[in-house]
Amino acid sequence: QVHLVETGGGLVQPGGSLRLSCTAPGRTFSGGTMAWFRQAPGKERLFVAAIRGTGSMRHYADSVKGRFSISRDSAQKTAYLQMNSLQSDDTAVYYCAAHPRMVIVSSLSRLTAYDYWGQGTPVTVSS
């Protein structure tokens, strides 16, 4: 069973930055879709960003546009989420998700569109 591994979470002050990484040990998602979701305490898991294909197609939730950036390395093994200008509302556990094929745009925000998930990495934005 493929599990994704997220790293990079932690405590950061408002206005600060963090970069999250997501890898799938032993495989790549070349040509597929990798995404980030987040779940704040007591709330549902929500879509944050996704990258499809070779990396030219990127999609973001409105709440993070202009502040977060998703990317993947050339070997298609690791996806990154660069988070800038962090706010207290960004506090959540961040989860990586993946599908070996391109997920259609209208389904990117659906949890059921992804076959693989990580265990999550916590991000806390606080002074």
Side-chain angles (χ1 to χ4, degrees):
Q1 187 174 5
V2 174
H3 293 286
L4 306 177
V5 179
E6 305 102 332
T7 57
L11 173 65
V12 63
Q13 293 186 342
S17 298
L18 280 177
R19 189 173 85 152
L20 307 182
S21 299
C22 170
T23 60
R27 72 164 296 162
T28 67
F29 287 91
S30 178
T33 304
M34 297 186 79
W36 290 93
F37 286 73
R38 66 186 181 185
Q39 187 166 18
K43 297 188 177 180
E44 63 181 326
R45 192 173 299 187
L46 298 175
F47 172 79
V48 174
I51 189 165
R52 303 189 300 152
T54 57
S56 61
M57 292 173 281
R58 309 181 189 196
H59 311 268
Y60 298 94
D62 288 343
S63 59
V64 305
K65 279 181 182 176
R67 300 188 299 122
F68 290 13
S69 177
I70 189 170
S71 61
R72 66 200 304 178
D73 68 349
S74 59
Q76 306 285 305
K77 293 183 177 181
T78 303
Y80 303 97
L81 184 68
Q82 177 67 42
M83 306 187 294
N84 299 326
S85 302
L86 284 161
Q87 308 163 359
S88 57
D89 288 350
D90 296 316
T91 294
V93 177
Y94 283 71
Y95 295 90
C96 182
H99 193 285
R101 297 183 183 272
M102 284 220 287
V103 175
I104 61 174
V105 173
S106 59
S107 294
L108 286 173
S109 63
R110 297 180 182 174
L111 303 181
T112 54
Y114 301 90
D115 290 347
Y116 305 104
W117 288 87
Q119 297 299 308
T121 184
V123 172
T124 302
V125 184
S126 175
S127 55

